[in-house]
């Protein structure tokens, strides 16, 4: 018999399988963030961390000509990526790796671009800034999206839901500078990027089998999150951060 924790985890992933993306975002936003990173080298080496089913990895391989190492801990997401890459004739450009973004084996300077849409929170924004900086080759860029407060005084309901997890965009930007990065750009993701994530997720919730262990709670949590966004979406948002390490001694 599954433990309550295991049942909850399996229900969460069952609800999220087959979604085009695992956080707010869009192809248009991915392209915009890439443009802010500056002209890439030929065949850039890209590390996509917490890649999920690989929507960003596929775009970066197809449109930037990148060689993408796509890392995630959930093997079924990687299987979805491998299938999509094969269907788009991109298998030679995308290497899907089962791994932990907090314990990466790659040597210093291995990548021209480190990419993390909606995944840095898994190890913490500040930890990600510190841990991933070494992976960038000279002139390389870190691009990540992260949820933050967009107002100085969020409502009690929004604060209670996020339970101390969010800071303001200004605080995140200051943390990036303190970690040794030049800020090339910050972009507040449009509301349409939330719809692109929540619409298919809500459809999965509506179709879910509530008799499955853990699923009723997973669906309730999902609906509560979507309802919070409807009521308080002006108070928080996903922000894209485009960052380049400052050369030592400058």
């Amino acid at each position: 018999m599954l433990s309550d924790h295991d049942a909850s985890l399996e229900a969460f992933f069952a609800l999220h399988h087959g979604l085009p993306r695992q956080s707010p975002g869009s192809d248009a936003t991915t392209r915009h963030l890439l443009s802010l990173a500056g002209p890439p080298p030929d065949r850039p080496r890209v590390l996509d961390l917490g890649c999920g089913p690989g929507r960003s990895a596929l775009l970066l391989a197809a449109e930037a000509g990148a060689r993408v190492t796509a890392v995630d801990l959930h093997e079924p997401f990687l299987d979805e990526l491998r299938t999509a890459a094969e269907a788009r004739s991109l298998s030679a450009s995308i290497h899907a790796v089962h791994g932990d973004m907090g314990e990466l084996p790659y040597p210093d300077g291995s990548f021209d671009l480190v990419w993390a849409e909606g995944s840095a929170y898994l190890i913490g924004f500040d930890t990600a800034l510190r841990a991933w900086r070494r992976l960038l080759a000279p002139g390389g860029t870190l691009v990540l999206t992260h949820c933050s407060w967009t107002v100085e005084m969020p409502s009690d309901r929004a604060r209670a839901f996020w339970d101390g997890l969010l800071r303001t965009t200004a605080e995140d930007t200051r943390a990036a500078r303190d970690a040794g990065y030049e800020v090339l750009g910050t972009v507040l993701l449009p509301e349409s990027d939330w719809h692109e994530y929540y619409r298919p997720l809500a459809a999965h919730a509506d179709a879910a089998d509530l008799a499955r262990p853990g699923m009723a709670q997973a669906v309730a949590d999902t609906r509560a999150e979507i309802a919070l966004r409807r009521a308080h979406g002006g108070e928080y948002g996903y922000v894209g951060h485009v960052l380049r390490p400052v050369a030592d001694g400058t």
Side-chain angles (χ1 to χ4, degrees), residues 27-104:
D27 290 349
T29 291
T30 298
R31 292 185 184 103
H32 183 42
L33 295 173
L34 183 61
S35 73
L36 294 176
D42 291 337
R43 295 284 289 158
R45 300 163 298 166
V46 176
L47 179 64
D48 184 0
L49 294 171
C51 64
R55 186 67 174 248
S56 298
L58 293 164
L59 187 149
L60 293 167
E63 299 188 15
R67 295 166 290 169
V68 183
T69 301
V71 176
D72 203 282
L73 267 175
H74 190 55
E75 189 68 41
F77 285 156
L78 297 173
D79 288 338
E80 290 180 38
L81 172 55
R82 293 182 186 108
T83 298
E86 183 175 0
R88 301 184 193 192
S89 300
L90 292 171
S91 295
S93 298
I94 297 175
H95 179 45
V97 177
H98 183 264
D100 185 344
M101 70 174 71
E103 298 181 7
L104 296 166

Side-chain angles (χ1 to χ4, degrees), residues 2 7 9-15 17 208-218:
L2 289 175
L9 196 61
E10 286 200 8
F12 172 86
F13 281 122
L15 203 57
H17 282 163
D209 177 7
L210 299 184
R212 180 172 179 166
M215 186 58 74
Q217 188 60 54

Side-chain angles (χ1 to χ4, degrees), residues 47 49 100-111 114 116 120 122-137 142 144 175-176 179-181 243 245:
L47 179 64
L49 294 171
D100 185 344
M101 70 174 71
E103 298 181 7
L104 296 166
Y106 307 110
D108 294 358
S110 294
F111 299 96
V114 173
L122 291 167
I123 63 172
F125 186 79
D126 294 351
T127 298
L129 294 175
R130 292 191 301 269
W132 299 345
R133 188 179 189 273
R134 70 168 187 83
L135 297 169
L136 290 165
L142 169 63
L144 56 84
Y181 291 89
L243 311 171

Side-chain angles (χ1 to χ4, degrees), residues 1 6 13-14 21-22 28 46 55 93 101 103 115 123 128 135 151 166 176 185 198-199 205 233:
M1 179 179 293
D6 289 342
F13 281 122
R21 57 180 69 251
Q22 296 297 319
V46 176
R55 186 67 174 248
S93 298
M101 70 174 71
E103 298 181 7
W115 199 274
I123 63 172
L135 297 169
V151 296
L166 307 189
Y198 278 153
R199 281 175 181 159

